[in-house]
Amino acid sequence: MKRILYIIFFTACFTACSDDFTDLAPISNRNEADFYKTSADFEVAINASYSGLQSTGVYGRGYWTMFEMRSDNTDQGPDATGLARQYTEINSFTEDALNEQVSSVWSESYKVISNCNVILSRIVDVEMDASLKSMITGEALFIRSLMYYHLAIAYGNIPLQLTPFVSGDELTQVDQATVLNQLILDLTEAEAGLSVSYSGNDIGRATKGAAATLLAKVLLTTGDNAAAVTVLRRIVSDYGYELVDDYAELWGVANENNEESIFEVQFISGGIGQGSLFTNDFSPSTDLQTGSGFARNRPTISLMEAYEDGDLRYDPSMGDTYVNLEGETIESRYVKKYWSDPAIENDSDINFVVFRYADVLLMLAEALGESSESYDLINEVRARAGLEAIDGTTPGSFSEKLLNERRLELAFENHRWPDLKRFNAQGKILEAEPFISGTREFFFIPQREIDINPNFEQN
């Protein structure tokens, strides 16, 4: 699929959006009249929706800011001036409704939703191969659901727009439960229409496993653990995923889209605007890669201390020292999972792993509750990390042990803030962090949206 990203730039004219609200307006009438008529048109359109996942307000930067830095996993680092101040505020729960990073997540997530809504509304009446129509419909439903899941977790009560927005329409907030219930319907349909796997240039597209993994996560969030067990067992038995033998072999360009990977946001370098920012954002120094190192999303001391001695996940995940150009060893905390050496600043080839099989195993343990089977699932993940098995006699409650295991296994993969909320542990855990003075459940809806839609209320 990375080759497909080369052509995404040329599809931008088909996805132009209004300045009103959250970019929910449909494409312009001029382009709409000439587009969405053939299967090739819809293939271009769905590729553009995948491209939207790369944007800085989505997986390019915004999601790790709001789902990792919001938690006890990472902080902004020593710089708290200029742009970095916005991250520091999110990190410490002191941001307001004018924070540009929070606004970017809202607007760019809804822009992706807008593109998917147009596809879903127009594809119904177009004659094309039935299997291709089913696949594109499933992809659009999955991508839209992925955006709505993050928006609902971040903001709570949000607009749930399922059709192209028409200027003059009034947008209405619905509660988080309504959004999640819609996602259950959409992801069930998406899973049915998607393929188990793809080959060649289609590797990287959403699969049945991707839709099912997000569906299970939504079901756990709603508290329907029994339904989540059914979905998760289906992933384990039917979709062919397995843990890679070595945790270190999950990371780096050479290991992308491996047998453990369920869904990744595909990035590609080459100066075409499709490269990722992670290497430069997370690097502690300009000595280590082309261009600047901004030392953002820095691992917290509490995370680093949470790893047991001999945990094989520590070194591939983060570093605590580096050697500069003068050969000096410098103490510095930084994320290593997304490391590369791009030829151009902010143009890395490294993907972002959204879902992988280890998450499925740990979610199944969560859905089952404390049992010998759930400990077996946890210990399957721990064994790869070189750690001894745990059981009911190991100190701590089952929830505490499972939440800790998820923290260490999935660090820097945007799961920590949703996990803390789902386990109702954010207050207890975050109050121990020195950079956090208080917590709240949701981010502020951007002030621009409140001004445009006076019927909106902050959560």
Side-chain angles (χ1 to χ4, degrees):
M1 189 179 179
K2 286 204 175 193
R3 188 181 69 82
I4 293 173
L5 295 177
Y6 276 116
I7 68 171
I8 295 300
F9 172 79
F10 300 103
T11 69
C13 62
F14 298 118
T15 56
C17 296
S18 161
D19 288 336
D20 294 336
F21 180 60
T22 56
D23 292 321
L24 279 172
I27 59 176
S28 69
N29 290 334
R30 173 176 59 82
N31 288 326
E32 191 175 15
D34 300 325
F35 203 60
Y36 297 112
K37 291 184 176 181
T38 69
S39 59
D41 292 342
F42 284 96
E43 289 180 275
V44 169
I46 195 64
N47 290 342
S49 293
Y50 280 108
S51 181
L53 302 181
Q54 301 172 338
S55 64
T56 55
V58 188
Y59 283 98
R61 180 177 286 156
Y63 283 8
W64 61 254
T65 303
M66 293 177 66
F67 296 97
E68 282 292 321
M69 195 174 289
R70 188 63 150 187
S71 74
D72 55 337
N73 272 6
T74 64
D75 60 36
Q76 160 53 30
D79 183 9
T81 61
L83 175 64
R85 178 167 181 161
Q86 298 174 21
Y87 301 118
T88 300
E89 292 171 350
I90 291 171
N91 187 201
S92 61
F93 289 78
T94 58
E95 87 287 347
D96 58 25
L98 298 175
N99 186 285
E100 292 180 9
Q101 298 305 309
V102 176
S103 297
S104 177
V105 168
W106 176 283
S107 62
E108 294 191 26
S109 297
Y110 271 113
K111 183 175 181 179
V112 176
I113 288 169
S114 171
N115 293 342
C116 292
N117 282 343
V118 174
I119 292 170
L120 292 167
S121 69
R122 297 299 298 271
I123 199 171
V124 175
D125 297 326
V126 173
E127 291 188 9
M128 57 190 294
D129 178 79
S131 61
L132 180 60
K133 178 182 283 193
S134 179
M135 184 184 81
I136 293 175
T137 299
E139 289 177 287
L141 286 169
F142 168 76
I143 294 170
R144 186 177 74 178
S145 297
L146 191 61
M147 299 297 95
Y148 270 130
Y149 168 77
H150 285 90
L151 289 167
I153 295 299
Y155 300 98
N157 299 344
I158 59 172
L160 179 63
Q161 187 74 16
L162 303 177
T163 58
F165 179 75
V166 177
S167 182
D169 284 355
E170 182 176 355
L171 292 152
T172 304
Q173 284 174 289
V174 300
D175 60 29
Q176 185 188 71
T178 299
V179 177
L180 296 178
N181 287 334
Q182 180 65 46
L183 299 190
I184 293 170
L185 298 175
D186 289 348
L187 289 165
T188 300
E189 181 181 351
E191 183 184 358
L194 292 168
S195 296
V196 172
S197 62
Y198 299 97
S199 60
N201 291 326
D202 288 326
I203 292 175
R205 294 190 179 280
T207 60
K208 287 183 180 293
T213 300
L214 182 55
L215 174 58
K217 202 169 289 286
V218 171
L219 289 167
L220 287 175
T221 304
T222 66
D224 193 346
N225 287 12
V229 167
T230 300
V231 175
L232 290 160
R233 288 200 189 282
R234 185 164 66 245
I235 300 171
V236 171
S237 63
D238 296 350
Y239 294 155
Y241 301 108
E242 59 185 40
L243 298 180
V244 302
D245 292 334
D246 184 349
Y247 191 82
E249 292 180 356
L250 286 166
W251 315 108
V253 174
N255 297 315
E256 291 174 347
N257 303 306
N258 55 60
E259 62 267 29
E260 184 169 335
S261 175
I262 296 176
F263 184 71
E264 301 182 15
V265 177
Q266 308 290 314
F267 288 89
I268 187 167
S269 60
I272 59 170
Q274 304 291 338
S276 56
L277 312 176
F278 309 128
T279 297
N280 292 98
D281 269 351
F282 302 160
S283 173
S285 169
T286 58
D287 292 342
L288 301 181
Q289 77 297 304
T290 300
S292 302
F294 296 106
R296 295 175 180 144
N297 208 34
R298 184 178 66 168
T300 60
I301 292 174
S302 70
L303 173 61
M304 301 181 92
E305 292 178 344
Y307 287 83
E308 299 174 48
D309 290 342
D311 193 323
L312 300 177
R313 296 172 294 196
Y314 185 98
D315 285 338
S317 298
M318 69 196 81
D320 48 27
T321 63
Y322 68 91
V323 178
N324 67 14
L325 294 177
E326 286 72 41
E328 302 169 315
T329 299
I330 307 297
E331 292 188 3
S332 184
R333 296 176 262 140
Y334 62 100
V335 174
K336 290 168 62 176
K337 280 187 176 181
Y338 308 99
W339 186 257
S340 68
D341 189 8
I344 304 171
E345 181 176 294
N346 293 329
D347 190 38
S348 171
D349 209 40
I350 203 81
N351 289 349
F352 192 93
V353 179
V354 178
F355 299 132
R356 55 186 178 88
Y357 188 56
D359 185 15
V360 169
L361 296 177
L362 294 175
M363 284 197 293
L364 181 53
E366 177 184 345
L368 289 167
E370 188 166 20
S371 65
S372 59
E373 182 182 1
S374 60
Y375 280 115
D376 286 344
L377 292 163
I378 295 170
N379 289 328
E380 185 176 351
V381 174
R382 286 177 59 84
R384 179 177 62 179
L387 301 176
E388 294 182 355
I390 62 172
D391 57 26
T393 66
T394 305
S397 70
F398 176 71
S399 292
E400 289 171 340
K401 288 178 282 190
L402 177 57
L403 186 58
N404 182 65
E405 201 61 43
R406 289 186 60 81
R407 184 189 192 190
L408 304 179
E409 174 68 25
L410 304 170
F412 321 125
E413 298 175 50
N414 293 357
H415 298 288
R416 183 59 172 172
W417 178 239
D419 282 357
L420 287 174
K421 293 175 70 173
R422 194 170 69 248
F423 282 70
N424 195 29
Q426 68 269 30
K428 177 182 177 182
I429 288 178
L430 294 182
E431 67 184 11
E433 293 295 335
F435 51 85
I436 296 173
S437 56
T439 66
R440 63 175 181 276
E441 186 173 2
F442 298 114
F443 288 89
F444 290 112
I445 293 174
Q447 187 60 47
R448 173 177 176 269
E449 310 308 328
I450 298 292
D451 293 340
I452 294 172
N453 299 277
N455 58 317
F456 284 7
E457 295 181 357
Q458 293 287 5
N459 295 303

